[in-house]
Amino acid sequence: MGKDPRSKFDQQVLGLVAERYPASYAWWTDNAPRAKWVPWNQQTFARDADRWREIARLSQGQAGRAKVFGDHARRALVSITHFESWRFPHAALGHVRKTLETFLVLEAITKSELNWSDWLGGLSTWFKQLLEEKLEGGDPWVAGEVLSEGRRLEDRLKLIGQAHPAHLTTTAEILKWVQQIPKALLGPWQEVMEPASWAAPANLDGDEWARKREQFGRAIPKEIGPTPEVLGLQDLFPSRRTVEVLLLDQLSGNAWMRPDAKTIQVAVGQHAEYARLVTDLRIWWWEQSPSMDGLAWALADPTYVEAVILAVWSGLSANPKGPADQGRKNILARLRQQAQVCAIADAWLWLNDGDVDEVAAWLLPFFGEKGARWLIWRMRLYPGYWLERERLCERVEREMHPLESLQAWEGWNRGPLPPD
């Protein structure tokens, strides 16, 4: 008998994920990949592109998790070959920061120590090689993100040093290399290139989004209405497993989830007061689509996953006879409005070449000055993300909202796979 083509397909996906996303591989497979920092250069990404291309080919005509993998492969191919997004230095810094951060959270959740010697050992050489690459950092928005990612990475390295004093010397050496990165922005990294867009501009009408902006209502006040009875959604979307919540101060506003056979572990930061509005839905969704494994969720299109969550929030907040108490309806209505505002601002900046100060002034009533400026920054780096999310959300809303119960939506069973 010949070899199972799906087995070959899975092996190719797992092999590439273990190299390019080692922390996700460890998180979702319970296996520690070989400690190796793949070089961040054109030759390596060219090889990655060939491997993603083969995964995309093998996924043709397949459904379920295989289609999720294939869709991710096609997005990765466009990012590598068309936009060359790897040439942004903040992407390289973010890769290291997210990997170390995920390992820190995994260590806290599983209460088992990672082999930090192996993972930290090669980072100084990796950064030395990175500084020799021709990257594109001349855009002020990119430069700002490089500085921001550098600070976050320094924080994570300090956390590792504090938790594991035996590695203080190594983390201090890596910190010196990280601190050299911004200097390259003033030297060899002067070129400016277009960031990758998350949506196809040919499918979008800038005038339509301008009209939406002109017709948009006032911001829903944050303090409106009663205090919610429950700041989560587990009573409406109950899990079949025990949910264990771990508070990790260093996570700030982030939330992390890791299911096993009997429990689901949720790690949240000290500023993640709305995290359960997301995690409770994600847990429900996982349990309705058992054919989708963790790796499928890790490689799923984030705009679609967020769109489904927003559509549920919209349905709960808009239904006067729905099960959510008024306090939660008010919060969910405001969060849904903020997502619509983001899509409008994204269109204004990207499709209509809006002035950043003018767009920030329009965002101010909805997010405050700090939030508005932060969003402008993100939208200049990732154009079209919020537009694509809103387009998908509106599609899901049309499927969900005629239903008497949001739990009856058939899309739950598909997992993180958008309809054709």
Side-chain angles (χ1 to χ4, degrees):
M1 292 180 65
K3 291 184 178 180
D4 177 4
R6 175 165 172 165
S7 175
K8 177 184 177 184
F9 177 77
D10 283 355
Q11 288 173 10
Q12 294 204 19
V13 173
L14 286 169
L16 188 46
V17 168
E19 287 185 20
R20 188 49 73 187
Y21 318 129
S24 289
Y25 180 90
W27 186 275
W28 293 111
T29 68
D30 290 325
N31 295 309
R34 184 164 66 96
K36 179 184 177 183
W37 295 98
V38 180
W40 196 273
N41 57 36
Q42 185 172 8
Q43 294 77 17
T44 304
F45 278 99
R47 288 195 294 270
D48 284 354
D50 289 341
R51 295 165 73 183
W52 285 124
R53 190 177 288 109
E54 176 65 4
I55 289 168
R57 185 189 68 79
L58 290 171
S59 75
Q60 291 178 359
Q62 299 209 44
R65 63 193 290 275
K67 188 174 187 309
V68 173
F69 296 154
D71 288 348
H72 179 87
R74 283 178 276 276
R75 288 193 300 273
L77 262 177
V78 171
S79 178
I80 294 170
T81 60
H82 179 66
F83 290 105
E84 294 186 300
S85 297
W86 63 270
R87 292 173 64 188
F88 286 116
H90 67 269
L93 286 170
H95 167 66
V96 177
R97 189 261 305 169
K98 291 172 188 173
T99 300
L100 296 181
E101 188 175 75
T102 302
F103 282 146
L104 276 169
V105 179
L106 186 61
E107 197 174 55
I109 282 183
T110 61
K111 297 179 176 59
S112 60
E113 186 171 334
L114 184 77
N115 189 347
W116 288 106
S117 294
D118 290 347
W119 281 102
L120 296 174
L123 265 181
S124 290
T125 300
W126 189 88
F127 275 111
K128 181 178 183 294
Q129 293 172 343
L130 180 71
L131 284 162
E132 296 168 353
E133 296 298 323
K134 179 175 169 48
L135 302 184
E136 313 290 340
D139 188 313
W141 304 100
V142 172
E145 186 68 357
V146 168
L147 294 173
S148 178
E149 278 290 3
R151 287 192 294 268
R152 286 192 286 243
L153 179 51
E154 286 184 31
D155 288 342
R156 301 309 180 261
L157 288 167
K158 289 174 182 176
L159 283 172
I160 294 169
Q162 291 166 8
H164 304 285
H167 303 300
L168 273 171
T169 302
T170 306
T171 54
E173 181 184 345
I174 297 167
L175 274 170
K176 291 178 182 178
W177 284 103
V178 174
Q179 289 162 355
Q180 290 188 42
I181 297 293
K183 297 176 184 177
L185 301 172
L186 305 175
W189 297 350
Q190 283 291 299
E191 296 297 320
V192 175
M193 58 186 264
E194 180 185 359
S197 59
W198 280 79
N203 299 332
L204 301 166
D205 183 349
D207 292 338
E208 175 189 354
W209 286 94
R211 288 191 295 271
K212 288 184 178 182
R213 181 177 76 247
E214 293 166 0
Q215 298 167 2
F216 205 79
R218 302 174 65 179
I220 298 173
K222 186 173 183 178
E223 289 77 19
I224 188 171
T227 301
E229 295 173 12
V230 179
L231 196 50
L233 295 173
Q234 192 175 21
D235 58 323
L236 307 181
F237 294 85
S239 170
R240 293 191 288 268
R241 286 171 282 185
T242 301
V243 178
E244 300 176 349
V245 180
L246 176 67
L247 180 64
L248 296 177
D249 291 346
Q250 63 265 34
L251 286 182
S252 187
N254 295 331
W256 304 69
M257 292 169 289
R258 192 168 184 270
D260 60 29
K262 295 182 179 180
T263 63
I264 294 181
Q265 297 162 311
V266 179
V268 296
Q270 59 181 335
H271 301 300
E273 60 266 27
Y274 293 156
R276 292 298 295 269
L277 297 173
V278 176
T279 58
D280 289 344
L281 283 174
R282 288 288 300 270
I283 292 166
W284 160 269
W285 199 356
W286 281 342
E287 294 183 338
Q288 306 312 305
S289 51
S291 63
M292 291 292 184
D293 60 16
L295 210 54
W297 286 96
L299 299 183
D301 181 352
T303 61
Y304 178 68
V305 175
E306 292 179 20
V308 170
I309 290 169
L310 287 169
V312 174
W313 289 355
S314 176
L316 291 173
S317 63
N319 185 353
K321 297 181 181 179
D325 58 84
Q326 192 58 46
R328 276 185 293 183
K329 286 179 181 177
N330 294 334
I331 290 173
L332 296 174
R334 180 166 53 82
L335 293 173
R336 179 67 186 98
Q337 183 191 60
Q338 287 179 340
Q340 294 169 322
V341 167
C342 285
I344 291 171
D346 189 14
W348 193 356
L349 282 171
W350 180 43
L351 299 180
N352 299 324
D353 196 23
D355 177 79
V356 293
D357 291 328
E358 191 176 355
V359 179
W362 186 76
L363 286 168
L364 190 65
F366 302 95
F367 293 98
E369 183 172 357
K370 184 178 179 181
R373 288 291 174 183
W374 183 84
L375 280 167
I376 294 286
W377 186 354
R378 307 304 292 173
M379 289 173 185
R380 294 305 293 260
L381 292 170
Y382 306 102
Y385 185 94
W386 295 264
L387 269 175
E388 179 67 7
R389 185 180 70 177
E390 182 64 21
R391 184 187 70 81
L392 291 169
C393 179
E394 290 175 355
R395 179 177 179 179
V396 175
E397 285 177 335
R398 288 192 293 271
E399 295 177 358
M400 278 187 181
H401 293 187
L403 302 173
E404 289 187 14
S405 170
L406 295 174
Q407 293 183 1
W409 178 55
E410 63 180 14
W412 297 122
N413 300 321
R414 289 195 304 266
L417 189 62
D420 295 327

